[in-house]
């Protein structure tokens, strides 16, 4: 039987928001074009552009992949 304390131990820490500046800095750190970052995150280049101008915010799987890229590096996603 699983208890709540066991479930709580398995929960991941919340992912911080990624601002347009933070996404651009992350892309610059790994010297990726918007198109290449989009391919790595399995999204469109237009979505990455919209994130970087602040028109949209990443969410769901894209947010998790950005966080993974930030914490573990590009090799973790390839």
């Amino acid at each position: 039987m699983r208890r709540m304390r066991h479930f709580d131990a398995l929960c991941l820490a919340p992912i911080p928001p990624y601002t347009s500046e933070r996404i651009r800095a992350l892309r610059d750190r790994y010297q990726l074009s918007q198109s290449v970052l989009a391919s790595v995150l399995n999204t469109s280049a237009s979505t990455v552009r919209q994130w970087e101008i602040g028109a949209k915010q990443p969410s769901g799987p894209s947010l998790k992949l950005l966080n993974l890229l930030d914490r573990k590096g590009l090799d973790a996603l390839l």
Side-chain angles (χ1 to χ4, degrees):
M1 178 176 193
R2 296 194 185 255
R3 302 198 186 279
M4 192 62 173
R5 70 173 173 256
H6 179 71
F7 177 75
D8 287 342
L10 296 175
C11 288
L12 300 173
I15 296 174
Y18 278 79
T19 63
S20 57
E21 295 83 14
R22 192 170 177 190
I23 294 168
R24 175 63 191 248
L26 189 58
R27 193 167 61 78
D28 287 344
R29 182 189 333 163
Y30 294 104
Q31 299 176 342
L32 303 172
S33 67
Q34 289 178 340
S35 297
V36 171
L37 179 61
S39 178
V40 167
L41 299 177
N42 197 29
T43 191
S44 69
S46 117
T47 297
V48 173
R49 273 192 294 282
Q50 290 179 343
W51 290 343
E52 288 190 3
I53 63 172
K56 282 188 170 184
Q57 295 294 315
S59 62
S62 295
L63 184 61
K64 289 183 186 243
L65 289 172
L66 280 169
N67 184 254
L68 185 62
L69 177 63
D70 199 7
R71 289 183 301 110
K72 302 283 185 171
L74 189 57
D75 288 338
L77 299 180
L78 299 179

